[in-house]
Amino acid sequence: DGGITQSPKYLFRKEGQNVTLSCEQNLNHDAMYWYRQDPGQGLRLIYYSQIVNDFQKGDIAEGYSVSREKKESFPLTVTSAQKNPTAFYLCASSRYRLEYYGYTFGSGTRLTVV
Amino acid sequence: QKEVEQNSGPLSVPEGAIASLNCTYSDRGSQSFFWYRQYSGKSPELIMSIYSNGDKEDGRFTAQLNKASQYVSLLIRDSQPSDSATYLCAVNDPGNQFYFGTGTSLTVIP
């Protein structure tokens, strides 16, 4: 079955440490997205990529980095510069003509700072 | 910053009743509107989408859109306890991304 796989499901980060969240899709979707969800807040866009080797900052990109070397993969690195990284991170992908098809979401990664 | 507003709730309805969820948006250029359901601790799943003014029905769900009023709603008929979840309204920024509301928490009481 096609879908989006996020790993790990739970991740613990120590202060000052960089961590990388994995997102892989086998839907042949062109665009991929990273969102952050905090309690009581909506999903906020961190980065998105519409084609390989190209990506754009979203509304809250500071303290995060991404790469898109393959169509299937869009990993997110949470750097030590992100001061409040504890949140639920969601990866999504979409077909061409996003406005008609919407997003397919992965199962999410819950990141906690310890 | 494009705004998508939802009543955060919680909204409680008895089993079998109609649940009405509302959403307003700020960008008049928005073209498409999606409703997602999110169970606690899980990722959002698509319920339905709407693009044109009026009503769109899919089983127990009806989406309503009024572009002049910049308003979209979701009605859930014959509500079931399994409908208890947070419902997210998503509004398309043409061609680029979706903006999400904070979600409305729905509880269906048996």
Side-chain angles (χ1 to χ4, degrees), chain A residues 4-38:
Chain A
I4 301 179
T5 301
Q6 287 189 245
S7 63
K9 190 174 178 67
Y10 299 96
L11 185 58
F12 298 91
R13 191 193 93 167
K14 295 180 179 178
E15 295 284 350
Q17 189 179 44
N18 292 355
V19 293
T20 297
L21 284 60
S22 171
C23 179
E24 303 275 338
Q25 56 100 356
N26 60 2
L27 298 166
N28 199 33
H29 285 176
D30 292 305
M32 298 185 74
Y33 307 79
W34 275 105
Y35 281 88
R36 169 180 173 145
Q37 188 175 35
D38 295 279

Side-chain angles (χ1 to χ4, degrees), chain A residues 35 37 45 98-100 103 106, chain B residues 32 36 38 43 51 92 98:
Chain A
Y35 281 88
Q37 188 175 35
L45 183 64
L98 163 71
E99 63 269 28
Y100 292 128
Y103 292 147
Chain B
S32 60
Y36 288 85
Q38 186 175 25
S43 62
Y51 316 106
N92 179 235
F98 280 91

Side-chain angles (χ1 to χ4, degrees), chain A residues 9 33 35 37 40-43 45 48 50 58-59 88 90 97-108 110, chain B residues 1 31-32 34 36 38 41-46 49 51 88 92-103:
Chain A
K9 190 174 178 67
Y33 307 79
Y35 281 88
Q37 188 175 35
Q41 298 195 40
L43 276 65
L45 183 64
Y48 66 101
Q50 294 180 314
D59 299 317
F88 188 45
L90 288 161
R97 300 305 298 272
L98 163 71
E99 63 269 28
Y100 292 128
Y101 299 106
Y103 292 147
T104 300
F105 283 96
S107 57
R110 194 165 297 278
Chain B
Q1 180 73 20
Q31 298 176 348
S32 60
F34 284 65
Y36 288 85
Q38 186 175 25
K42 303 296 185 181
S43 62
E45 53 182 338
L46 179 64
S49 58
Y51 316 106
L88 302 173
N92 179 235
D93 174 19
N96 288 322
Q97 57 164 300
F98 280 91
Y99 286 90
F100 288 82
T102 56

Side-chain angles (χ1 to χ4, degrees), chain B residues 6-27:
Chain B
Q6 291 184 257
N7 188 332
S8 62
L11 174 66
S12 294
V13 300
E15 183 173 355
I18 296 175
S20 177
L21 307 165
N22 305 316
C23 174
T24 59
Y25 59 95
S26 62
D27 185 3

